[in-house]
Each structure stands twice: as C-alpha cells, then as structure tokens.
Amino acid sequence: MTAKQLQEEILSLKKKNDVTILAHYYQPIEIQEIADFLGDSLELSSTAKEKANSEYIIFAGVDFMAETASILNPDKHILIPNPESCCPMAAFLTPEMVLEFKKKNRGLPAVVYVNSTATVKAESDICCTSANAVKIVEKISHEFDIDSVLFGPDANLADYTEQLSKIHTIKMPENGHCYVHSQIIKEDIKIITEKYPKAELLVHPECIREVRELAKLVGSTTGMYNYVKESNSNINEFIIGTEVGLLERLTQDFPTKRFYLAKEKLICHNMKKHNLDLIKYLLENLDDKTFEVKVPLKIAERAIKPIEKMLEFS
Ligand code: SF4
C-alpha cells in the first residue's frame, strides 16, 4: 500500500470512529498531513481540551506530551502510536532530583519546562514553555521575592531565560539538553550563513548560547512559524535552527519562500518513531490498552497544579 492509500484509509477510519489526531510539528510530514491539529506540545494538549470533542485522541508526539494531554483531559482516551517514543531531554530530570534540589535550596521554587515527565511536574511549583519561560520566571521570582529559581531539565533554556530575565537559574541538572538542538554549533551557522547570506536565522531556545546570539529570532516552533507567516514579503529566505519537521511544514505552507536547515540531519529520532501503519493499527484497535497513556490520578492531581499556575501567569 502506498503512503497516499494509507493516508486515505486513515482519514476514512478516523471519520468513521470519530477520532481526533494531534501531531507535533516534528512529526514526519505524512503524519502532519493527516492530523486534525498541528502545534507544539502545550498547544496540542490545550487543543485536546478545547477543540477535540471525540472520546479518543491519537497524539503523535513524545511521551511527556501525551501525559500532559492525559492530565488536562482525564475523561478522554489519549493514545500514542508508538509507546517507545520518549524524550531523552525529559529523562534528564527525575522527581527525586527535584526534591533533592529543593532540599538543598530551601525557599526557591522549582520551575519545570513542559518537556518533563508527569512525576517531575508533580514535584514542581510551576511549569513553563519555551515561549513563556522568561515571563514565568519573572512572575514567580516576584511572587516568592527571590532572585534565583530552580530550573530544569533543559540547561540551555535555563541559560536563555536567565540572560533575558536577569534572574539566576540553578540548573536541574547542569547538563540537561536536547540532543537535536544542542548539536548546532557556531561553525555550522558560519557555513550556512555564508552559503545563504540573505537568509534570516531562526533558532530554538534549546540551542546553545553561541548559536542563539547569532540569530535574528530565538523562538519556539510556533514562534518561528508565526514569524515566517508575518514576515515582510521581501524576506524570502530563512535558516531554520530546529527539527526538520518544522522546515517541512514551512515549505508546504509558504511555497514562495525558501527554507534551509541550520545543519544537516537535525532529526529527532524519538519523534520519528510513529508511522502511518501504527496509526492505522490504532484506529482499528482503539481499545488496545498498550497504546493508552493514562497518568495515575494521584500524580495527575498534583501535576496539573503547576500547569494551571503557568496558564494563570501567561
Ligand atoms: S526534539 Fe529534543 S526536546 Fe523535542 S522530543 Fe526530541 S529530544 Fe525531546
């Protein structure tokens, strides 16, 4: 069966069974094409709550995203096409580590990136996204009347937030990083900007500081997408410093503009563990519990608090 035929079957099964498919921008383009909603992690979880009326939701993203969707939508069945799709950056931080950092730094709140497990969120004070981290840290430091916060698991986002907010971030842990974004180095940017001198450089805050400092825009995936969408018609070339899936999305949505990847092979292999065959199987076996992500109630009740606090502060 060709990819096109599989996509058609999926669309028909999806309609027949009343299932909503959510896909992250880093998903393979053939999955993005059959999704009802596309977006970044928190956006998709909120979409599941506000716009998806179906009982079953297929979430093509990594583990922590499906967990967040489950926390925000306890009455819905959240299904992940490949349960082995996990985020190595989220795995840098455990709930025990958060408790240890809090013990050693009494009085300091723990700010955790939404790219973290539900058990980590349950021990934290507030969540943040790459788009609102600066605002969240500013507000929480004001509330606690402090000039330092605990921040994890991404040390590069922590550093970016510290640079802009001037509030010290104690990294939980010191070396937490995303292997996709942190592999881009200054030399890569030198090579690509020499090749495409007219292109504007857009990078993710999970990139290292040396790379961020060369960018025209440091932003989340949605931030980069909107920047291109709203860009002046005489700006036609962009260098994209994030996972290749976003570049594929931009290329389809803005055919008159040109996009170049900041370096070759910016691929999140964990995100790419889903495929059309798995989605078709799920649609034919909605009650196969192997694929359902359900955060235990005791953890969900605690993990939702830092998410709600973030939404209140945003
Ligand atoms: S791109 Fe990085 S942060 Fe996102 S899922 Fe992959 S490893 Fe995790």
Side-chain angles (χ1 to χ4, degrees), residues 24 26 62 64-65 86-90 113 115 177-181 206 243 268-271:
H24 191 273
Y26 297 166
V62 285
F64 73 81
M65 298 177 183
C86 304
C87 169
M89 190 242 272
Y113 193 14
N115 299 26
H177 66 275
C178 160
Y179 71 93
V180 181
H181 294 101
E206 290 169 21
E243 215 270 352
C268 177
H269 298 286
N270 306 70
M271 279 274 188

PDB file of all heavy atoms in Angstrom, residues 24 26 62 64-65 86-90 113 115 177-181 206 243 268-271, ligand 1:
ATOM      1  N   HIS A  24       2.598  16.806  16.470  1.00  0.00           N
ATOM      2  CA  HIS A  24       3.602  17.849  16.722  1.00  0.00           C
ATOM      3  C   HIS A  24       4.280  18.208  15.402  1.00  0.00           C
ATOM      4  O   HIS A  24       4.334  17.398  14.479  1.00  0.00           O
ATOM      5  CB  HIS A  24       4.633  17.309  17.733  1.00  0.00           C
ATOM      6  CG  HIS A  24       5.545  18.361  18.259  1.00  0.00           C
ATOM      7  ND1 HIS A  24       6.716  18.709  17.618  1.00  0.00           N
ATOM      8  CD2 HIS A  24       5.470  19.156  19.353  1.00  0.00           C
ATOM      9  CE1 HIS A  24       7.313  19.665  18.314  1.00  0.00           C
ATOM     10  NE2 HIS A  24       6.580  19.965  19.362  1.00  0.00           N
ATOM     11  N   TYR A  26       7.215  18.256  14.710  1.00  0.00           N
ATOM     12  CA  TYR A  26       8.399  17.437  14.403  1.00  0.00           C
ATOM     13  C   TYR A  26       8.042  16.063  13.861  1.00  0.00           C
ATOM     14  O   TYR A  26       8.907  15.227  13.653  1.00  0.00           O
ATOM     15  CB  TYR A  26       9.259  17.254  15.671  1.00  0.00           C
ATOM     16  CG  TYR A  26       9.844  18.521  16.258  1.00  0.00           C
ATOM     17  CD1 TYR A  26      10.382  18.511  17.553  1.00  0.00           C
ATOM     18  CD2 TYR A  26       9.883  19.709  15.551  1.00  0.00           C
ATOM     19  CE1 TYR A  26      10.922  19.663  18.112  1.00  0.00           C
ATOM     20  CE2 TYR A  26      10.405  20.859  16.106  1.00  0.00           C
ATOM     21  CZ  TYR A  26      10.924  20.832  17.393  1.00  0.00           C
ATOM     22  OH  TYR A  26      11.457  21.960  17.958  1.00  0.00           O
ATOM     23  N   VAL A  62       5.891  12.872  21.642  1.00  0.00           N
ATOM     24  CA  VAL A  62       6.618  12.001  22.583  1.00  0.00           C
ATOM     25  C   VAL A  62       5.840  11.838  23.898  1.00  0.00           C
ATOM     26  O   VAL A  62       4.840  12.522  24.133  1.00  0.00           O
ATOM     27  CB  VAL A  62       8.063  12.508  22.844  1.00  0.00           C
ATOM     28  CG1 VAL A  62       8.966  12.211  21.663  1.00  0.00           C
ATOM     29  CG2 VAL A  62       8.091  13.959  23.212  1.00  0.00           C
ATOM     30  N   PHE A  64       5.994  12.686  27.131  1.00  0.00           N
ATOM     31  CA  PHE A  64       5.551  13.718  28.081  1.00  0.00           C
ATOM     32  C   PHE A  64       4.389  14.532  27.510  1.00  0.00           C
ATOM     33  O   PHE A  64       3.577  15.067  28.262  1.00  0.00           O
ATOM     34  CB  PHE A  64       6.715  14.628  28.512  1.00  0.00           C
ATOM     35  CG  PHE A  64       7.168  15.596  27.452  1.00  0.00           C
ATOM     36  CD1 PHE A  64       6.494  16.781  27.231  1.00  0.00           C
ATOM     37  CD2 PHE A  64       8.287  15.334  26.677  1.00  0.00           C
ATOM     38  CE1 PHE A  64       6.902  17.673  26.248  1.00  0.00           C
ATOM     39  CE2 PHE A  64       8.704  16.211  25.693  1.00  0.00           C
ATOM     40  CZ  PHE A  64       8.010  17.381  25.483  1.00  0.00           C
ATOM     41  N   MET A  65       4.324  14.630  26.182  1.00  0.00           N
ATOM     42  CA  MET A  65       3.227  15.396  25.560  1.00  0.00           C
ATOM     43  C   MET A  65       1.904  14.661  25.747  1.00  0.00           C
ATOM     44  O   MET A  65       0.876  15.261  26.079  1.00  0.00           O
ATOM     45  CB  MET A  65       3.499  15.581  24.063  1.00  0.00           C
ATOM     46  CG  MET A  65       4.752  16.367  23.775  1.00  0.00           C
ATOM     47  SD  MET A  65       5.062  16.480  22.022  1.00  0.00           S
ATOM     48  CE  MET A  65       6.623  17.368  22.067  1.00  0.00           C
ATOM     49  N   CYS A  86       9.918   8.353  23.370  1.00  0.00           N
ATOM     50  CA  CYS A  86      10.202   9.070  24.625  1.00  0.00           C
ATOM     51  C   CYS A  86      11.186  10.215  24.356  1.00  0.00           C
ATOM     52  O   CYS A  86      11.968  10.147  23.419  1.00  0.00           O
ATOM     53  CB  CYS A  86      10.836   8.128  25.649  1.00  0.00           C
ATOM     54  SG  CYS A  86       9.812   6.699  25.964  1.00  0.00           S
ATOM     55  N   CYS A  87      11.158  11.223  25.217  1.00  0.00           N
ATOM     56  CA  CYS A  87      12.062  12.367  25.040  1.00  0.00           C
ATOM     57  C   CYS A  87      13.277  12.222  25.959  1.00  0.00           C
ATOM     58  O   CYS A  87      13.144  12.266  27.183  1.00  0.00           O
ATOM     59  CB  CYS A  87      11.320  13.667  25.359  1.00  0.00           C
ATOM     60  SG  CYS A  87      12.427  15.087  25.462  1.00  0.00           S
ATOM     61  N   PRO A  88      14.490  12.079  25.401  1.00  0.00           N
ATOM     62  CA  PRO A  88      15.681  11.926  26.235  1.00  0.00           C
ATOM     63  C   PRO A  88      15.973  13.165  27.087  1.00  0.00           C
ATOM     64  O   PRO A  88      16.562  13.065  28.161  1.00  0.00           O
ATOM     65  CB  PRO A  88      16.822  11.698  25.240  1.00  0.00           C
ATOM     66  CG  PRO A  88      16.216  11.601  23.903  1.00  0.00           C
ATOM     67  CD  PRO A  88      14.785  12.030  23.964  1.00  0.00           C
ATOM     68  N   MET A  89      15.537  14.331  26.608  1.00  0.00           N
ATOM     69  CA  MET A  89      15.786  15.526  27.428  1.00  0.00           C
ATOM     70  C   MET A  89      14.937  15.485  28.700  1.00  0.00           C
ATOM     71  O   MET A  89      15.443  15.757  29.800  1.00  0.00           O
ATOM     72  CB  MET A  89      15.469  16.789  26.626  1.00  0.00           C
ATOM     73  CG  MET A  89      15.938  18.033  27.319  1.00  0.00           C
ATOM     74  SD  MET A  89      14.608  19.088  27.693  1.00  0.00           S
ATOM     75  CE  MET A  89      14.562  20.007  26.191  1.00  0.00           C
ATOM     76  N   ALA A  90      13.682  15.077  28.573  1.00  0.00           N
ATOM     77  CA  ALA A  90      12.816  14.977  29.759  1.00  0.00           C
ATOM     78  C   ALA A  90      13.418  13.981  30.757  1.00  0.00           C
ATOM     79  O   ALA A  90      13.307  14.158  31.979  1.00  0.00           O
ATOM     80  CB  ALA A  90      11.417  14.555  29.340  1.00  0.00           C
ATOM     81  N   TYR A 113      10.165  22.923  32.736  1.00  0.00           N
ATOM     82  CA  TYR A 113       9.783  23.007  31.333  1.00  0.00           C
ATOM     83  C   TYR A 113       8.670  21.969  31.109  1.00  0.00           C
ATOM     84  O   TYR A 113       8.718  20.898  31.715  1.00  0.00           O
ATOM     85  CB  TYR A 113      11.038  22.641  30.541  1.00  0.00           C
ATOM     86  CG  TYR A 113      11.066  22.918  29.068  1.00  0.00           C
ATOM     87  CD1 TYR A 113      10.142  23.736  28.438  1.00  0.00           C
ATOM     88  CD2 TYR A 113      12.084  22.355  28.283  1.00  0.00           C
ATOM     89  CE1 TYR A 113      10.224  23.975  27.077  1.00  0.00           C
ATOM     90  CE2 TYR A 113      12.172  22.589  26.925  1.00  0.00           C
ATOM     91  CZ  TYR A 113      11.231  23.387  26.318  1.00  0.00           C
ATOM     92  OH  TYR A 113      11.306  23.616  24.975  1.00  0.00           O
ATOM     93  N   ASN A 115       8.450  20.085  28.867  1.00  0.00           N
ATOM     94  CA  ASN A 115       9.167  18.890  28.389  1.00  0.00           C
ATOM     95  C   ASN A 115       9.756  18.148  29.586  1.00  0.00           C
ATOM     96  O   ASN A 115      10.976  18.094  29.795  1.00  0.00           O
ATOM     97  CB  ASN A 115      10.316  19.275  27.443  1.00  0.00           C
ATOM     98  CG  ASN A 115       9.842  20.002  26.206  1.00  0.00           C
ATOM     99  OD1 ASN A 115       8.790  20.634  26.226  1.00  0.00           O
ATOM    100  ND2 ASN A 115      10.606  19.919  25.141  1.00  0.00           N
ATOM    101  N   HIS A 177      19.910  18.616  28.314  1.00  0.00           N
ATOM    102  CA  HIS A 177      19.882  19.227  26.976  1.00  0.00           C
ATOM    103  C   HIS A 177      19.083  18.368  25.993  1.00  0.00           C
ATOM    104  O   HIS A 177      18.830  17.187  26.244  1.00  0.00           O
ATOM    105  CB  HIS A 177      21.296  19.436  26.433  1.00  0.00           C
ATOM    106  CG  HIS A 177      22.027  18.151  26.182  1.00  0.00           C
ATOM    107  ND1 HIS A 177      22.710  17.486  27.170  1.00  0.00           N
ATOM    108  CD2 HIS A 177      22.128  17.395  25.071  1.00  0.00           C
ATOM    109  CE1 HIS A 177      23.220  16.380  26.677  1.00  0.00           C
ATOM    110  NE2 HIS A 177      22.884  16.282  25.402  1.00  0.00           N
ATOM    111  N   CYS A 178      18.740  18.982  24.874  1.00  0.00           N
ATOM    112  CA  CYS A 178      18.080  18.271  23.780  1.00  0.00           C
ATOM    113  C   CYS A 178      19.161  17.961  22.752  1.00  0.00           C
ATOM    114  O   CYS A 178      19.826  18.877  22.260  1.00  0.00           O
ATOM    115  CB  CYS A 178      17.001  19.174  23.172  1.00  0.00           C
ATOM    116  SG  CYS A 178      16.533  18.651  21.512  1.00  0.00           S
ATOM    117  N   TYR A 179      19.330  16.679  22.413  1.00  0.00           N
ATOM    118  CA  TYR A 179      20.431  16.302  21.508  1.00  0.00           C
ATOM    119  C   TYR A 179      20.229  16.855  20.100  1.00  0.00           C
ATOM    120  O   TYR A 179      21.197  16.971  19.350  1.00  0.00           O
ATOM    121  CB  TYR A 179      20.617  14.772  21.471  1.00  0.00           C
ATOM    122  CG  TYR A 179      19.530  14.006  20.751  1.00  0.00           C
ATOM    123  CD1 TYR A 179      19.640  13.675  19.404  1.00  0.00           C
ATOM    124  CD2 TYR A 179      18.371  13.594  21.418  1.00  0.00           C
ATOM    125  CE1 TYR A 179      18.650  12.961  18.745  1.00  0.00           C
ATOM    126  CE2 TYR A 179      17.372  12.880  20.765  1.00  0.00           C
ATOM    127  CZ  TYR A 179      17.517  12.574  19.435  1.00  0.00           C
ATOM    128  OH  TYR A 179      16.524  11.870  18.785  1.00  0.00           O
ATOM    129  N   VAL A 180      19.004  17.210  19.744  1.00  0.00           N
ATOM    130  CA  VAL A 180      18.758  17.752  18.402  1.00  0.00           C
ATOM    131  C   VAL A 180      19.251  19.198  18.331  1.00  0.00           C
ATOM    132  O   VAL A 180      20.049  19.563  17.462  1.00  0.00           O
ATOM    133  CB  VAL A 180      17.250  17.683  18.050  1.00  0.00           C
ATOM    134  CG1 VAL A 180      17.002  18.225  16.653  1.00  0.00           C
ATOM    135  CG2 VAL A 180      16.730  16.262  18.190  1.00  0.00           C
ATOM    136  N   HIS A 181      18.782  20.027  19.260  1.00  0.00           N
ATOM    137  CA  HIS A 181      19.125  21.453  19.204  1.00  0.00           C
ATOM    138  C   HIS A 181      20.551  21.751  19.642  1.00  0.00           C
ATOM    139  O   HIS A 181      21.207  22.633  19.088  1.00  0.00           O
ATOM    140  CB  HIS A 181      18.135  22.259  20.056  1.00  0.00           C
ATOM    141  CG  HIS A 181      16.751  22.226  19.493  1.00  0.00           C
ATOM    142  ND1 HIS A 181      15.772  21.416  20.001  1.00  0.00           N
ATOM    143  CD2 HIS A 181      16.204  22.878  18.439  1.00  0.00           C
ATOM    144  CE1 HIS A 181      14.658  21.566  19.291  1.00  0.00           C
ATOM    145  NE2 HIS A 181      14.899  22.460  18.343  1.00  0.00           N
ATOM    146  N   GLU A 206      16.413  26.061  22.895  1.00  0.00           N
ATOM    147  CA  GLU A 206      17.180  24.898  23.378  1.00  0.00           C
ATOM    148  C   GLU A 206      18.559  24.824  22.723  1.00  0.00           C
ATOM    149  O   GLU A 206      19.349  23.929  23.026  1.00  0.00           O
ATOM    150  CB  GLU A 206      16.398  23.601  23.099  1.00  0.00           C
ATOM    151  CG  GLU A 206      15.156  23.446  23.949  1.00  0.00           C
ATOM    152  CD  GLU A 206      14.247  22.311  23.483  1.00  0.00           C
ATOM    153  OE1 GLU A 206      14.721  21.409  22.777  1.00  0.00           O
ATOM    154  OE2 GLU A 206      13.057  22.342  23.815  1.00  0.00           O
ATOM    155  N   GLU A 243      14.168  21.119  14.560  1.00  0.00           N
ATOM    156  CA  GLU A 243      13.977  19.812  13.920  1.00  0.00           C
ATOM    157  C   GLU A 243      13.428  19.951  12.489  1.00  0.00           C
ATOM    158  O   GLU A 243      12.609  20.845  12.215  1.00  0.00           O
ATOM    159  CB  GLU A 243      13.015  19.010  14.802  1.00  0.00           C
ATOM    160  CG  GLU A 243      13.301  17.532  14.845  1.00  0.00           C
ATOM    161  CD  GLU A 243      12.586  16.734  13.796  1.00  0.00           C
ATOM    162  OE1 GLU A 243      11.725  17.313  13.098  1.00  0.00           O
ATOM    163  OE2 GLU A 243      12.877  15.532  13.663  1.00  0.00           O
ATOM    164  N   CYS A 268      14.874  14.462  15.195  1.00  0.00           N
ATOM    165  CA  CYS A 268      14.597  13.847  16.499  1.00  0.00           C
ATOM    166  C   CYS A 268      14.090  12.427  16.216  1.00  0.00           C
ATOM    167  O   CYS A 268      12.932  12.236  15.819  1.00  0.00           O
ATOM    168  CB  CYS A 268      13.554  14.641  17.277  1.00  0.00           C
ATOM    169  SG  CYS A 268      13.160  13.813  18.828  1.00  0.00           S
ATOM    170  N   HIS A 269      14.968  11.458  16.402  1.00  0.00           N
ATOM    171  CA  HIS A 269      14.604  10.067  16.087  1.00  0.00           C
ATOM    172  C   HIS A 269      13.502   9.562  17.009  1.00  0.00           C
ATOM    173  O   HIS A 269      12.755   8.660  16.639  1.00  0.00           O
ATOM    174  CB  HIS A 269      15.846   9.173  16.165  1.00  0.00           C
ATOM    175  CG  HIS A 269      16.892   9.587  15.170  1.00  0.00           C
ATOM    176  ND1 HIS A 269      16.766   9.334  13.830  1.00  0.00           N
ATOM    177  CD2 HIS A 269      18.045  10.294  15.320  1.00  0.00           C
ATOM    178  CE1 HIS A 269      17.793   9.858  13.185  1.00  0.00           C
ATOM    179  NE2 HIS A 269      18.591  10.445  14.066  1.00  0.00           N
ATOM    180  N   ASN A 270      13.396  10.155  18.166  1.00  0.00           N
ATOM    181  CA  ASN A 270      12.355   9.740  19.115  1.00  0.00           C
ATOM    182  C   ASN A 270      10.972  10.149  18.613  1.00  0.00           C
ATOM    183  O   ASN A 270      10.003   9.423  18.768  1.00  0.00           O
ATOM    184  CB  ASN A 270      12.646  10.349  20.487  1.00  0.00           C
ATOM    185  CG  ASN A 270      14.047  10.010  20.929  1.00  0.00           C
ATOM    186  OD1 ASN A 270      15.011  10.522  20.354  1.00  0.00           O
ATOM    187  ND2 ASN A 270      14.201   9.117  21.879  1.00  0.00           N
ATOM    188  N   MET A 271      10.900  11.343  18.014  1.00  0.00           N
ATOM    189  CA  MET A 271       9.640  11.825  17.439  1.00  0.00           C
ATOM    190  C   MET A 271       9.256  11.013  16.205  1.00  0.00           C
ATOM    191  O   MET A 271       8.084  10.895  15.869  1.00  0.00           O
ATOM    192  CB  MET A 271       9.797  13.288  16.999  1.00  0.00           C
ATOM    193  CG  MET A 271       9.667  14.260  18.126  1.00  0.00           C
ATOM    194  SD  MET A 271       7.926  14.638  18.342  1.00  0.00           S
ATOM    195  CE  MET A 271       8.063  15.961  19.518  1.00  0.00           C
TER     196      MET A 271
HETATM  197  S1  SF4 B   1      13.435  17.465  19.816  1.00  0.00           S
HETATM  198 FE1  SF4 B   1      14.575  17.349  21.740  1.00  0.00          FE
HETATM  199  S2  SF4 B   1      13.147  18.061  23.326  1.00  0.00           S
HETATM  200 FE2  SF4 B   1      11.941  17.569  21.474  1.00  0.00          FE
HETATM  201  S3  SF4 B   1      11.289  15.454  21.782  1.00  0.00           S
HETATM  202 FE3  SF4 B   1      13.213  15.381  20.609  1.00  0.00          FE
HETATM  203  S4  SF4 B   1      14.818  15.176  22.185  1.00  0.00           S
HETATM  204 FE4  SF4 B   1      12.950  15.823  23.232  1.00  0.00          FE
END
